Structure formats: structure tokens, C-alpha cells
Amino acid sequence: MARPHEPSTTDPADRPATYRDVFAVAEFRWLWGALLGSVIGDQLARVALAVLVFDRTGSAGLSALTYALTLLPDIAGGPLLSGLADRYPRRTVMVGCDVARAGLVGLMAIPGTPLLILCVLLVAVQLLAAPFQSARIASMATIMSGDRYPAAMGVSAITLQLAQLAGFVAGGTIVAGLGASKALIINAISFAVSAVVLRFGIKERPAAAGTEPTAKPSWWGSLSAGARLVWQNRRLRYLTALICLPGFYISVEGLATPYAATLGGGAVAVGVLFAANPAGYVLGVWGFGRLAPSRRHALMGPLAIGASAPLIACVVSPGLWVTVALWMLSGACSSYLITAQTTFVKDVPDAQRGQVIGLARTALTVSQGMGILAAGVAADSVRPALVVTGAGVLGVLFAAGAARGYGRADQPG
């Protein structure tokens, strides 16, 4: 396992955590293993459901709608259910969500299940992802001290990207070989295994909001208090803006197909363009994590601007590989997100972390969806290269404003 370079500072507190430091924490190893298995299982299930619906209906539209249903519940689940991670012990929330998802996916695997029932079960499964993820991220902030927390988030981000890729690549082969129902059973088993791993690998801790019934806020009280906290705290407000910045630069993924067509490329070119930003992100997270914590914090604003700036060069319609390099550079600079997200979580009181994390995740999902939708609509009237350029310009302006605002809010006094 590669170690980060030694930082120039002599302050031990400013030493970057290594991956060895991260995996030395037993509880993180269990959290990481559960994440790896469930993400691969989720991607396998997405492929299986899309195939299952298409085989039954012959409709590409319904198949795409089914896939979209795996993403949309994040928007509602974040604000509505993430507060559970504060009201109840977080290990209990994670295990409960995994057990419930295992049962629901198991029902989906029953051959002949009506399509409407499949969609309802799918939405329920995805809604449970919100409290699970809020509990997982909040638990990680408690378990990992100092710079181990940002390093752990970096490891999780890399794992998420690679596991999603592996799930998609293997998904088609597994579904073709075993059938959609058996693939869904594998997904159900992955949730069950995750529940067992978390139950016996993570320590039980009391609810962050308190154990007394009177200490627990109501659902509306938790939601409104979380929203108020973010809005009234300048640091959190500008950090949220930085976290939502992908709504500009991630829009390129929605334009990969028409962009490749303008370059005369086929399916291979589309695949390469799709992979460029995530690949750059993985490399950026790995490289960014090698810097001292103080250096990463100082570079957060410039890198946020850099996440959109390379896209402006697409105005000259460069060839495929230059475009790939530009999109990879954009992805590499987007590694600032790890620092923005971990700083955001640490700035939130533990008793409200689950709820506020859910709100931030929803804001990120909405910004990405709106960015991709707006870019797609614009590309119907304007050359894709110009749309990418426009997204880059707007992203730079937005990032510069958010970084400047955060810099002022971060100054003492």
C-alpha cells in the first residue's frame, strides 16, 4: 500500500493519514466491506431490473424508467428519513435498513411479480438508502479521528466508483448467465451479509440525539432544525454550495453520446467519454490525499474552480483524446469534494449530522439531475461542445463565488 509523501510541515497534527492508518481501524474495515458488497449488489440489481422489465414489456422507455426509479427516491429520502440516523443508534439504523432491503429485494426476486409491485418495492428499497448512508457517514466521522476521517472518505469514494464500475461490467454477464431473478437474490444476500457484518463489526453507540424520548426531536423538528442550521451558518452555507458544484461539471456525462457523435465516434468513444470524469476523480482523490490537511484545505477553492475550468477549452471542439484529457482533469480537480464534505460533516453537531447529511446529499442529487437535464435540453439547439463550454463558464463563476464566500466565513472574527 502506497504511503503519502511526507508533508513539508513539521506539525504532527498536519501529517496526512495513510491508507494503512485507515485500514488499521477495525470498525472502518467492517464499514468498508459492507459498502463494497452492497454497492456491487446494487449495480447488479439495476442491470437485472432493467433487463427484466425490457424482457417483459419490450419497452425501452419502461426499462429506462425503472432504472431512473433507483435514483429518484434519494431526493425524498434525504430530507424525510435521514433524521432516523440521529434519533436512533446508528448501528441499529444501518442494520435495520439492510435487513429490510434484503427482504424487499428477496420479494422482487420472486418470478412473475407484477411490474407495478416491482416498482413499489424498488422505490421502498431506494428510500431506505437515505437513512443508511446518513448513518454510515455520521458513524465514520465518530469512528475515524483526525485526518483519518478525510482519508477514510477518500477510500470510500474510490471504492464507490470502482465498485459501481465492477457491478455494471459484471452485471450483464451475471444476468445473462443466471437470469434476472437469481441476480436479484444475489443482491438480497449482499444486503443480508452487510447487516451481519455491521451488527458484529461495529460498536453499539447511543443515539446522537439522546436516549430520553423528550430529547428526540419530532420528524418536522429535526428537518426544520437541520435546514435552519445550514442556512444560518455561513460556513455550512458556502460548503453546501461547493458540494453542489458537480451540477455544472458533471453535466458532461449527459452529453457524452451527442458529443461523441459530433466527433464521428461510435459506442467506444461514448464509453471512453463516460469514463473520463470518474477516472480522473479516482486519480485526484488518491493524489489529493497525499497532501497535508492544511494544504488540502487551502487548495479546496482553487480546485473547485479547476473542476469546471478545463471544460471551457471544449469551445474549440478538440479531438476525442484531448476532450478525454480535459474531462479527466475536471474529474481530478473535483477531488476537492472530499475536503468540502468532511469539513461540512465535522462542522455539524453530532446530534444533527444524520439529518443534515441527508439534506446535503439531496441537494447534490438535485443539482446533478438539474445540470444533466439542462445540458441535454440545451444540446438539442446548440452544439454539445458549446453546451459543455457554457457549463464550464457557469461552474467557474459559481465556484469562485462559493470559494470566496467560504474564505470570508472561515476567517476568524
Side-chain angles (χ1 to χ4, degrees):
M1 185 73 67
R3 283 180 172 271
H5 293 307
E6 290 299 321
S8 58
T9 180
T10 58
D11 183 2
D14 204 31
R15 182 184 70 85
T18 67
Y19 295 146
R20 188 186 302 275
D21 294 332
V22 171
F23 282 100
V25 180
E27 286 187 278
F28 173 77
R29 294 198 298 270
W30 293 116
L31 276 173
W32 178 78
L35 173 68
L36 180 64
S38 62
V39 170
I40 293 177
D42 273 351
Q43 298 306 98
L44 175 61
R46 285 187 169 105
V47 175
L49 282 169
V51 171
L52 181 64
V53 171
F54 184 76
D55 286 346
R56 284 194 191 179
T57 66
S59 169
L62 286 176
S63 180
L65 176 62
T66 303
Y67 183 86
L69 286 175
T70 66
L71 305 174
L72 291 179
D74 276 348
I75 298 174
L80 300 182
L81 300 177
S82 292
L84 295 173
D86 300 324
R87 293 171 57 83
Y88 301 98
R90 284 163 182 160
R91 187 188 71 175
T92 300
V93 172
M94 290 188 287
V95 172
C97 288
D98 271 343
V99 170
R101 289 189 289 182
L104 292 170
V105 175
L107 292 175
M108 292 167 62
I110 298 175
T113 302
L115 185 58
L116 178 61
I117 300 300
L118 275 177
C119 290
V120 171
L121 292 172
L122 177 60
V123 169
V125 168
Q126 294 305 313
L127 282 172
L128 289 170
F132 178 89
Q133 290 297 344
S134 290
R136 183 183 70 83
I137 295 172
S139 295
M140 199 183 303
T142 301
I143 293 167
M144 308 301 286
S145 59
D147 195 52
R148 286 183 177 182
Y149 177 51
M153 287 288 284
V155 170
S156 298
I158 292 173
T159 300
L160 186 63
Q161 292 286 349
L162 296 181
Q164 286 178 337
L165 179 61
F168 277 136
V169 170
T173 303
I174 293 175
V175 172
L178 299 179
S181 292
K182 290 182 179 178
L184 288 171
I185 290 175
I186 292 175
N187 184 217
I189 292 172
S190 75
F191 282 129
V193 170
S194 174
V196 172
V197 165
L198 293 171
R199 170 61 180 79
F200 293 102
I202 304 299
K203 295 177 183 177
E204 179 72 344
R205 295 174 174 86
T211 55
E212 295 297 325
T214 55
K216 294 179 180 179
S218 65
W219 167 80
W220 175 250
S222 174
L223 175 58
S224 59
R228 252 192 335 267
L229 175 65
V230 175
W231 181 253
Q232 294 175 356
N233 187 304
R234 291 183 63 203
R235 278 174 56 95
L236 292 178
R237 202 161 65 235
Y238 286 114
L239 281 169
T240 302
L242 289 170
I243 290 171
C244 291
L245 182 61
F248 294 98
Y249 61 77
I250 208 69
S251 62
V252 299
E253 294 187 7
L255 299 176
T257 300
Y259 196 104
T262 63
L263 298 177
V268 173
V270 173
V272 171
L273 288 173
F274 263 121
N277 188 279
Y281 179 65
V282 169
L283 293 174
V285 169
W286 176 78
F288 196 41
R290 298 162 70 88
L291 301 175
S294 60
R295 185 65 175 156
R296 293 201 299 268
H297 193 269
L299 287 174
M300 183 169 62
L303 284 178
I305 295 171
S308 296
L311 304 182
I312 298 175
C314 291
V315 69
V316 298
S317 298
L320 174 63
W321 295 110
V322 173
T323 301
V324 168
L326 292 170
W327 291 15
M328 282 189 69
L329 179 58
S330 170
C333 289
S334 70
S335 58
Y336 81 89
L337 273 172
I338 299 298
T339 298
Q341 290 168 340
T342 54
T343 303
F344 180 90
V345 172
K346 284 294 189 181
D347 279 0
V348 174
D350 187 48
Q352 292 180 274
R353 277 179 182 163
Q355 181 67 72
V356 175
I357 288 170
L359 290 171
R361 291 183 70 246
T362 297
L364 173 59
T365 301
V366 170
S367 69
Q368 289 176 316
M370 291 179 62
I372 291 174
L373 178 62
V377 171
D380 283 335
S381 305
V382 183
R383 285 192 302 116
L386 292 180
V387 177
V388 171
T389 299
V393 171
L394 293 175
V396 165
L397 295 175
F398 186 87
R404 186 167 181 264
Y406 176 74
R408 288 184 170 182
D410 199 35
Q411 291 174 355

